[in-house]
Amino acid sequence: MTHIDLNGLCIGNDQALTLIAGPCQLESADHAQMIAGQLQQACRAAGAGLIFKGSFDKANRTSLGGQRGLGLDAGLKVLQSVKDTLNLPVLTDVHLPEQCATVAEVADVLQIPAFLCRQTDLLIAAGETGAVINVKKGQFLAPWDMPNVISKIESTGNSRIMLTERGTSFGYNTLVADMRSLPQMAATGYPVVMDATHSVQQPGGRGGSSGGQREFAPVMARAAVSLGVACVFIETHEDPDSAPSDGPNMIPLAQMPALIDTLMAFDRLAKANPITL
């Protein structure tokens, strides 16, 4: 079973739960530090690890008019400010091979978006940085397809890999989360992540933007953690309805401490009674 050491934080399917959390889209240094600080306090109190996430560019918005974000240079400065201020590892998405080396100078974890999870050049460029690579399983892939993705990254000599479930296409504008995928992907030996908020997204469900059912995100998180996973991925915002991206499926920041407490209780039970295939 693979364990990933991330600045002293040990990530693995048999280790204490790590939360990957933050806003969908980076807005400013002050905003990122505010959210990261509150999450850090809640995770410390509950005994959870924390990786702060935030995107500098939302390259796959539903419509041309969707807000893209701060951009590469400004976004990396915001992420660096979180690292400098709070000493937290940070995660962000990459969309192009030429972004990877620059982003890895700041980000501890490079995330491969679900729509790009089979892009060979992107996977190889990300792997070559030596950073931790978190691959979101495409909405169009089965969990048993992920070894092909893994082999592309491993070809660079990088085995610091995490695999994320974020739902599977289920008709139009709808996703379904098959919890069987979590132990199936864990059978690869790599840490598995459950994306609780994107799995309740309704892609393109509002015509010009995506909808979501945020009330079910805690349900997805609790179900996944009860199986025993390395991490749970949650996007959060102090006012989701005013967030520039993915507000309908984000969990309000004020609700996060109680949810983290609950998830850690499920995590302790799951890790004491592991499920293996």
Side-chain angles (χ1 to χ4, degrees):
M1 183 177 295
T2 298
H3 293 151
I4 296 173
D5 184 356
L6 195 58
N7 303 333
L9 175 63
C10 187
I11 299 172
N13 296 323
D14 59 351
Q15 301 296 300
L17 185 71
T18 290
L19 184 72
I20 301 172
C24 178
Q25 189 177 126
L26 294 169
E27 298 178 37
S28 69
D30 288 344
H31 185 256
Q33 291 174 32
M34 179 274 292
I35 291 180
Q38 292 193 36
L39 290 172
Q40 185 179 53
Q41 184 176 10
C43 285
R44 281 178 174 170
L50 175 63
I51 300 170
F52 177 77
K53 72 80 50 184
S55 298
F56 62 81
D57 181 18
K58 303 305 294 182
N60 60 352
R61 296 306 303 271
T62 301
S63 67
L64 183 62
Q67 296 184 50
R68 291 281 297 266
L70 296 177
L72 179 64
D73 293 340
L76 291 180
K77 288 178 181 177
V78 169
L79 291 172
Q80 186 66 59
S81 78
V82 171
K83 295 182 70 170
D84 292 343
T85 303
L86 299 169
N87 194 32
L88 285 173
V90 299
L91 171 153
T92 196
D93 309 272
V94 288
H95 300 91
L96 300 168
E98 53 266 32
Q99 292 176 338
C100 294
T102 299
V103 173
E105 292 177 3
V106 174
D108 304 278
V109 185
L110 304 187
Q111 182 164 275
I112 307 298
F115 287 131
L116 302 177
C117 71
R118 298 204 326 181
Q119 294 297 103
T120 302
D121 291 345
L122 179 59
L123 292 168
I124 289 176
E128 286 176 342
T129 67
V132 177
I133 310 301
N134 181 38
V135 185
K136 288 197 169 185
K137 179 175 72 64
Q139 300 92 326
F140 46 85
L141 284 185
W144 48 85
D145 294 325
M146 290 304 283
N148 294 316
V149 174
I150 291 168
S151 67
K152 295 179 182 182
I153 301 173
E154 288 179 332
S155 73
T156 69
N158 188 344
S159 59
R160 305 177 76 207
I161 302 168
M162 301 192 297
L163 306 174
T164 295
E165 170 61 52
R166 55 95 70 230
T168 301
S169 295
F170 188 68
Y172 297 125
N173 305 126
T174 307
L175 299 171
V176 63
D178 182 357
M179 292 298 170
R180 293 175 298 179
S181 74
L182 299 172
Q184 285 172 329
M185 289 197 295
T188 66
Y190 285 109
V192 170
V193 183
M194 178 64 191
D195 183 342
T197 43
H198 284 100
S199 63
V200 298
Q201 187 184 58
Q202 295 169 318
R206 292 184 167 185
S209 64
S210 291
Q213 296 176 299
R214 72 169 67 105
E215 66 272 23
F216 293 117
V219 176
M220 295 296 183
R222 290 171 61 158
V225 172
S226 71
L227 296 177
V229 293
C231 307
V232 63
F233 179 109
I234 295 174
E235 289 186 336
T236 185
H237 194 278
E238 77 281 4
D239 182 12
D241 290 332
S242 69
S245 177
D246 272 353
N249 45 268
M250 287 202 285
I251 295 177
L253 184 60
Q255 297 178 14
M256 289 297 293
L259 177 59
I260 294 168
D261 279 341
T262 299
L263 294 180
M264 290 308 295
F266 278 104
D267 185 66
R268 289 189 289 271
L269 178 63
K271 301 294 168 61
N273 300 274
I275 295 174
T276 56
L277 292 183

